[in-house]
Amino acid sequence: MKGLKGKTALVTGASSGIGQAIAIRLAEEGCNVAINYRSNPEAAEDTEDAAMERACGQVQECGVKSLLVQGDVSKEADIIRMFETVIQEFGGLDILINNAGIQTDKASHEISADDFDRVIDVNLKGAFLCARETIKHLLERQAAGVIINISSVHEIIPRPNYLTYSMSKGGMANLTKTLALEYADKQIRVNAIAPGATVTPINEAWTEDPEKQAVVESHIPMGRAGTSEEMAAAVAFLVSDEAAYITGQTLFIDGGLTLYADFRETWSA
Ligand code: NAD
């Protein structure tokens, strides 16, 4: 893709799934890549460390610079430290991929204030704070740059029992558009991709069970879930100069999931 060689990118939550695939694809396109990982002490830290080392190894194999940066994107102090590290080590930042995200499964009337904050803080506040730090840096350098938000089809499709997740992605749509408009004249482009069902660890509940996966895929017009690499390919396009005139858009990458699959067959009288 045009214009990516030698650029510097930061991918949040890049130790697994879509983020990891984006980090590797951008490295293949010649970008130097900073890989953010959370290292959640409550989770299986060993597993995340191993995954993150693997991602870093694959980025390095592309012959570009790579950097591992720990940071919980729900914490402002972590984000500020993370940006200082990346900018110092790489000498600047051109591309931010807001990928880190979590979801919880709970009936809406049972969601506590803490549950609510946990998802919104990672998926929406974290994305905003990372975008803010990127924009401040680009304005200081008077440089062009690109931000990609990893949204979801639930940006527009309501999802019962996943209220906070759907809300965070709905908010992300407005974050994308507002920042795009506000900084368009500074040559800072802001876009989003909205993946449909994608085979990654966030979906272990059905990706590890062929019967459940078949049910999920029966709702997708193209008849299969997407891959992280397919999401990464769209991101590579959107951050490249091939997409130089695109800003404020969400690109849905969902095998037709947002096309009202129920209308595949006529059900009206
Ligand atoms: P994943 O669970 O593999 O990736 C999420 C990543 O975010 C993990 O690496 C995790 O460690 C990281 N993360 C979570 N909280 C963090 C924090 N506080 N600070 C830093 N990193 C943190 O799942 P994925 O499917 O690869 O998800 C990536 C993004 O894609 C998410 O934003 C998700 O909402 C979005 N998405 C995924 C799908 C899908 O079907 N897999 C569909 C639509 C959107």
Side-chain angles (χ1 to χ4, degrees):
M1 301 273 175
K2 274 191 206 158
L4 288 180
K5 212 158 253 160
K7 291 273 165 63
T8 295
L10 165 64
V11 186
T12 67
S15 56
S16 65
I18 294 171
Q20 183 177 7
I22 293 170
I24 293 165
R25 178 63 194 258
L26 293 184
E28 285 169 356
E29 297 288 343
C31 293
N32 300 314
V33 184
I35 295 168
N36 159 249
Y37 66 102
R38 170 188 48 180
S39 207
N40 179 358
E42 298 135 37
E45 208 172 301
D46 289 351
T47 313
E48 196 192 358
D49 281 354
M52 165 204 85
E53 295 288 354
R54 245 192 334 272
C56 189
Q58 283 178 267
V59 164
Q60 278 168 347
E61 278 169 25
C62 299
V64 295
K65 288 186 211 153
S66 71
L67 180 67
L68 288 170
V69 268
Q70 189 276 330
D72 179 336
V73 300
S74 68
K75 297 187 178 144
E76 187 175 25
D78 277 24
I79 291 175
I80 290 170
R81 179 182 41 75
M82 174 168 78
F83 274 81
E84 279 170 2
T85 306
V86 173
I87 290 164
Q88 194 179 5
E89 293 290 321
F90 281 165
L93 181 67
D94 308 295
I95 296 165
L96 166 69
I97 313 293
N98 269 323
N99 168 78
I102 54 171
Q103 61 182 17
T104 53
D105 177 358
K106 208 178 241 188
S108 295
H109 66 279
E110 288 172 352
I111 294 172
S112 68
D114 282 349
D115 293 335
F116 184 92
D117 286 348
R118 199 167 309 123
V119 176
I120 299 295
D121 281 358
V122 175
N123 295 12
L124 190 55
K125 191 177 81 179
F128 158 67
L129 291 172
C130 289
R132 184 192 72 189
E133 292 307 300
T134 302
I135 292 168
K136 273 201 233 170
H137 168 70
L138 292 170
L139 293 177
E140 248 168 54
R141 275 172 57 208
Q142 296 189 318
V146 191
I147 296 171
I148 303 290
N149 294 322
I150 309 303
S151 182
S152 162
V153 288
H154 298 296
E155 171 176 317
I156 56 168
I157 303 176
R159 189 174 183 198
N161 294 311
Y162 289 84
L163 174 82
T164 48
Y165 185 78
S166 304
M167 283 181 68
S168 71
K169 300 300 188 180
M172 198 171 232
N174 207 292
L175 176 70
T176 303
K177 286 183 169 51
T178 304
L179 291 179
L181 184 56
E182 197 167 338
Y183 298 100
D185 66 345
K186 302 289 186 294
Q187 312 314 313
I188 298 172
R189 297 189 297 110
V190 186
N191 289 298
I193 64 158
T198 310
V199 179
T200 72
I202 212 172
N203 287 326
E204 266 166 10
W206 56 265
T207 55
E208 312 238 309
D209 178 334
E211 272 176 38
K212 286 185 184 159
Q213 180 151 349
V215 172
V216 170
E217 292 182 334
S218 71
H219 294 283
I220 302 169
M222 288 186 75
R224 66 170 179 86
T227 66
S228 295
E229 289 71 26
E230 286 169 324
M231 306 306 147
V235 169
F237 164 68
L238 284 172
V239 297
S240 79
D241 289 351
E242 313 276 2
Y245 204 48
I246 301 177
T247 197
Q249 305 303 310
T250 296
L251 178 59
F252 286 80
I253 309 169
D254 63 358
L257 197 60
T258 43
L259 296 176
Y260 298 95
D262 273 0
F263 281 86
R264 276 180 286 191
E265 284 147 33
T266 305
W267 48 266
S268 55

